[in-house]
Structure formats: structure tokens, C-alpha cells
Amino acid sequence: VVAGSTVELGCSAQGDPAPWVQWHKERGDLPWGRHEVDREHTLRLYAVMPADAGTYVCTAQNQLGTAAATARLRV
């Protein structure tokens, strides 16, 4: 993505019971004050900077287990 733009990373998780979904960045924190996660578990990063580049992980967990997916962001 181009620096200064907004990026959306989707994460689809289903299960019974419904899983708890969390995003995190490998080797770092989500950009403070420049991210949000909506009800559909989409991670939005605003005003993307080169420091935001890296691997983002979506983890879904319930009593029956855990699943994870990754997305790599290049700025």
C-alpha cells in the first residue's frame, strides 16, 4: 500500500460457540490511535506509515480450539 492510505485486512471466523477474535502484529504493536476492528473482524489501519509494514495475525478462539491466519503488509 501507499504511505498515508487506509488499508483493510479481513478475517472471517465462525464457530459454535462463536469464537473470540483478536488481531496483533508480529514483532510490534498495532499502530496506536490509527487502527480499529469492526464487528466483522476487519482490521483497518489509517494513515499507514513504513513502520506499519510487517505481518499481522488474526486469531480466533473458542472452547474447542484456536485458529490463526496471517497477512503481510508492505508499505
Side-chain angles (χ1 to χ4, degrees), residues 22-72:
Q22 180 180 13
W23 278 97
H24 73 273
K25 182 181 180 189
E26 285 186 351
R27 300 185 193 98
D29 297 321
L30 293 174
W32 189 84
R34 296 186 296 109
H35 79 276
E36 70 177 5
V37 179
D38 67 18
R39 287 185 189 175
E40 288 77 40
H41 314 299
T42 298
L43 172 65
R44 282 186 190 83
L45 305 174
Y46 299 100
V48 174
M49 309 168 125
D52 298 329
T55 301
Y56 291 79
V57 182
C58 172
T59 304
Q61 181 175 348
N62 68 11
Q63 294 91 326
L64 302 176
T66 302
T70 60
R72 183 170 203 120

